[in-house]
């Protein structure tokens, strides 16, 4: 059973009872929960306790004004990014600038214009809701990643300690098996760390392409040879369909990484006895198309548009395959860095076809033999 979405909470801080009541009625009629405060000190206390999505803060209040409360709100780590809207009946340009300098996000004049108030609160609630969702996802995936890095490191440490306690001459088979487990665990940890680093660098725009004139066939051939052993272990037939001589100005290692991510994704989701076709063809407008077709279970249509987003995995017939959804996101970013575009065609029960194009060199002319 899915959790119901969190209902947004708005804090109204104003010393005028009638103003608080009008704001409360408006906000509740628009579907928000409301909490109230009558001065700056209680506004801070309520905000810390209730963690509102938006704070409506009056300027003139007893004990502590809104302008005095605002920097204290911003000094609290849990409230530093929560949107604050200044409420005032006497807002001059200097007051407005002062509010912005102190950390306010917007202002609303009193008496309230209902439609303007609704629009501003709605916009800020949406922003804060999105920020909280991102923070929650970041925490969840950070915990998952740390957990999954810790697992192979625990295996490495455990088997290393066992090896230190044994005599390699008396237990050669145990040593060989233990070293295989250590190597396999180290590779899994490195794969995850590498994906995270690649994704972070691509997101930050720190990856520069070292373009050279390359034969796309040679790139695909090397990828196919590297991935064939993994496919063979699952009794999957990996076929390469491409002709030599398709020229393109590309970063060989980065384009290879994009193709590897697509092929390994296909191997993960294609059942034993299936087939994967890696192909490249030259088409009009100087484009070179690269495709990875599989005979896997297919992807539901409503999930295709999200599949190239980070941290997304399709939910469907194959649910036991573990991953973080970074491989396809990295592939998309690398293809787009080359000036191309990636797309997916899939049908439940009939497999998937990941296909991207990149600009070919000189109208995709064929390289000299």
């Amino acid at each position: 059973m899915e959790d119901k979405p969190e209902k947004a909470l708005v804090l109204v801080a104003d010393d005028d009872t009638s103003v608080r009541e009008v704001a409360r009625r408006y906000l509740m009629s628009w579907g928000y929960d409301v909490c109230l405060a009558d001065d700056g000190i209680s506004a801070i206390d309520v905000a810390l306790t209730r963690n509102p999505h938006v704070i409506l803060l009056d300027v003139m209040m007893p004990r502590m004004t809104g302008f005095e409360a605002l920097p204290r709100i911003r000094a609290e780590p849990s409230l530093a990014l929560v949107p604050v809207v200044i409420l005032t009946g006497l807002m001059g340009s200097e007051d407005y600038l002062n509010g912005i300098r102190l950390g306010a996000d917007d202002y609303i004049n009193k008496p309230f214009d209902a439609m303007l108030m609704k629009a501003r609160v709605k916009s800020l609630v949406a922003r804060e809701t999105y920020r909280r969702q991102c923070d929650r996802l970041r925490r969840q995936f950070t915990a998952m990643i740390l957990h999954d890095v810790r697992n192979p490191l625990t295996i490495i440490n455990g088997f290393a300690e066992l090896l230190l306690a044994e005599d390699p001459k008396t237990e050669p088979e145990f040593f060989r098996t233990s070293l295989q487990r250590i190597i396999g665990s180290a590779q899994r940890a490195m794969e995850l760390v590498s994906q995270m680093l690649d994704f972070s660098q691509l997101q930050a725009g720190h990856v520069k392409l070292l373009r050279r004139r390359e034969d796309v066939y040679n790139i695909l051939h090397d990828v196919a040879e590297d991935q064939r052993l993994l496919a063979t272990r699952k009794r999957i037939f990996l076929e390469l369909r491409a002709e030599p001589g398709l020229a393109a100005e590309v970063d060989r290692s980065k384009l290879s990484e994009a193709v590897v991510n697509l092929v390994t994704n296909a191997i993960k989701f294609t059942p034993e006895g299936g087939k994967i076709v890696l192909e490249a063809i030259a088409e009009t407008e100087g484009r070179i198309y690269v495709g990875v077709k599989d005979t896997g279970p297919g992807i539901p249509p409503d999930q295709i548009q999200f599949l190239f987003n980070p941290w997304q995995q399709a939910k469907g017939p194959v649910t036991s395959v573990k991953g973080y959804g970074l491989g396809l996101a990295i592939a998309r970013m690398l293809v787009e860095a080359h000036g191309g575009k990636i797309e997916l065609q899939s049908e439940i029960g009939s497999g998937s076809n990941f296909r991207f194009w990149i600009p070919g060199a000189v109208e995709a002319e064929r390289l000299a033999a």
Side-chain angles (χ1 to χ4, degrees):
M1 189 173 180
E2 294 185 358
D3 295 334
K4 292 182 179 179
E6 181 186 11
K7 197 172 183 180
L9 176 66
V10 180
L11 167 60
V12 180
D14 197 299
D15 64 320
D16 190 324
T17 304
S18 61
V19 170
R20 293 199 305 271
E21 181 58 23
V22 169
R24 186 188 67 81
R25 288 204 308 267
Y26 278 149
L27 292 164
M28 292 188 70
S29 71
W30 299 330
Y32 303 117
D33 282 339
V34 181
C35 54
L36 304 173
D38 58 9
D39 60 53
I41 293 176
S42 60
I44 296 172
D45 292 339
V46 173
L48 287 169
T49 304
R50 300 292 304 276
N51 192 27
H53 289 69
V54 173
I55 299 172
L56 305 185
L57 189 65
D58 186 30
V59 171
M60 301 305 296
M61 293 187 292
R63 294 209 296 168
M64 182 183 290
T65 69
F67 284 157
E68 291 171 335
L70 187 50
R72 300 194 184 191
I73 289 172
R74 288 295 179 235
E76 295 289 342
S78 62
L79 302 175
L81 298 177
V82 173
V84 176
V85 179
I86 293 295
L87 303 179
T88 181
L90 299 171
M91 176 65 84
S93 60
E94 195 63 34
D95 290 328
Y96 175 71
L97 290 173
N98 188 38
I100 296 299
R101 281 195 292 266
L102 292 171
D105 296 88
D106 209 334
Y107 73 95
I108 297 176
N109 284 325
K110 297 185 291 185
F112 302 131
D113 179 319
M115 297 308 296
L116 182 60
M117 180 181 182
K118 181 179 181 180
R120 286 179 172 169
V121 170
K122 181 180 179 180
S123 174
L124 292 172
V125 164
R127 190 185 81 185
E128 177 65 7
T129 300
Y130 178 73
R131 183 186 70 82
R132 294 186 184 192
Q133 289 173 343
C134 290
D135 282 348
R136 185 167 59 251
L137 284 173
R138 177 182 54 79
R139 290 193 300 271
Q140 289 173 347
F141 281 106
T142 298
M144 288 171 57
I145 290 166
L146 290 175
H147 176 269
D148 284 356
V149 170
R150 184 177 63 184
N151 281 347
L153 291 178
T154 300
I155 294 173
I156 291 170
N157 183 68
F159 277 98
E161 289 180 349
L162 288 173
L163 290 179
L164 284 174
E166 295 290 339
D167 184 353
K169 295 179 180 179
T170 60
E171 296 287 347
E173 182 60 26
F174 173 76
F175 263 71
R176 188 183 68 83
T177 303
S178 298
L179 288 172
Q180 287 176 339
R181 293 293 300 274
I182 288 174
I183 292 170
S185 296
Q187 288 175 339
R188 287 195 298 275
M190 284 300 299
E191 180 183 354
L192 178 56
V193 171
S194 296
Q195 279 197 334
M196 289 295 297
L197 287 173
D198 287 347
F199 178 71
S200 298
Q201 290 178 334
L202 284 165
Q203 260 199 330
H206 293 161
V207 174
K208 294 183 179 180
L209 300 183
L210 302 176
R211 293 178 183 265
R212 291 181 54 188
R213 191 179 180 85
E214 299 281 357
D215 186 343
V216 175
Y217 169 83
N218 291 335
I219 296 175
L220 300 190
H221 177 270
D222 290 347
V223 171
E225 290 302 306
D226 290 342
Q227 298 300 313
R228 188 160 279 121
L229 178 59
L230 183 60
T232 302
R233 287 176 180 171
K234 285 188 66 175
R235 296 194 298 112
I236 295 172
F237 179 62
L238 176 58
E239 180 182 358
L240 174 62
R241 295 179 186 171
E243 295 182 13
L246 293 178
E249 298 286 337
V250 298
D251 183 316
R252 185 185 184 96
S253 65
K254 298 303 180 186
L255 188 63
S256 296
E257 183 179 355
V259 178
V260 166
N261 285 348
L262 296 179
V263 173
T264 55
N265 182 75
I267 294 173
K268 283 182 183 178
F269 289 94
T270 301
E272 289 190 5
K275 181 179 180 180
I276 297 172
V277 176
L278 175 58
E279 62 181 357
I281 56 174
E283 292 195 359
T284 57
E285 301 178 1
R287 293 177 175 177
I288 298 174
Y289 280 85
V290 176
V292 179
K293 300 178 183 178
D294 65 57
T295 57
I299 299 167
D302 61 335
Q303 296 181 40
I304 290 177
Q305 60 179 320
F306 305 110
L307 205 60
F308 292 103
N309 294 339
W311 317 116
Q312 297 285 337
Q313 272 198 313
K315 300 176 182 177
V318 178
T319 58
S320 60
V321 178
K322 189 174 182 180
Y324 298 96
L326 288 179
L328 294 180
I330 291 172
R332 174 183 63 81
M333 296 168 82
L334 289 172
V335 167
E336 291 177 353
H338 280 86
K341 186 176 181 180
I342 193 168
E343 61 185 10
L344 167 62
Q345 296 173 337
S346 187
E347 184 177 342
I348 295 295
S350 299
S352 302
N353 180 16
F354 289 86
R355 191 168 185 254
F356 69 82
W357 62 263
I358 54 173
V362 194
E363 297 298 317
E365 68 170 314
R366 297 199 171 272
L367 292 168

